[in-house]
Amino acid sequence: FQETIALDLGAQPTLEVGGYNYVKYPKMKRYTVEGDEGWQLEGSSITAKGAVEADAINLLLDTGSSVSMLPASRMDAIMNRAGLKVQRSKDEPIVYSMPCDTKLGVQLVLPDGTQVDVDDSDILMRSNDASMPGCLSLLVGTTNPFVPAVAGTPLLQSLYTVLSRNPSGDWIGLAPL
């Protein structure tokens, strides 16, 4: 079985099946997928400007997930920075609400150290819950150690993403948009 799917979830989304656009994205980096645990991007990180540095994690790339989920400690490091007015839910998944004009400055750090800025408008969604006014973060937290860290659509909107499965080895291709 051999298949390649390429996604650009930016301003004018595209889906390519059977190949990828190496002319438009010449700086795309390839990362080997190890094991059979889905599209895991090993040795990456999600952080924010001014957040305490964290160890690299394995991120499961999930093009069908409307949220991105990180360990609660990582989310708290992002959301508890000076100057942010963030409210945190007590239940799982841990949801964060804040004023809609909040500047989060979230970055996805790829395994080679490339930093990709994630647009706040891709992460924040207006809340219709009176107990959590303002906007809700589509980055949520979990204390469940069995739940993988997930990079869903909110983060993938900042990347050209290629998922390639073939007999010579599976790989993920990423390029900032």
Side-chain angles (χ1 to χ4, degrees), residues 37-78:
E37 315 220 341
W39 296 102
Q40 291 233 15
L41 186 60
E42 295 184 11
S44 53
S45 182
I46 297 174
T47 189
K49 296 168 184 143
V52 175
E53 282 202 34
D55 293 334
I57 57 176
N58 294 342
L59 279 174
L60 177 64
L61 300 186
D62 186 350
T63 60
S65 179
S66 60
V67 298
S68 294
M69 184 174 293
L70 296 173
S73 60
R74 181 74 247 150
M75 284 302 301
D76 287 343
I78 292 170

Side-chain angles (χ1 to χ4, degrees), residues 113-126:
T114 300
Q115 294 182 344
V116 179
D117 292 333
V118 179
D119 195 286
D120 291 331
S121 65
D122 293 339
I123 298 171
L124 297 176
M125 174 184 78
R126 187 162 298 281

Side-chain angles (χ1 to χ4, degrees), residues 117-140:
D117 292 333
V118 179
D119 195 286
D120 291 331
S121 65
D122 293 339
I123 298 171
L124 297 176
M125 174 184 78
R126 187 162 298 281
S127 175
N128 61 2
D129 182 349
S131 68
M132 298 194 85
C135 278
L136 299 176
S137 170
L138 295 175
L139 292 177
V140 299

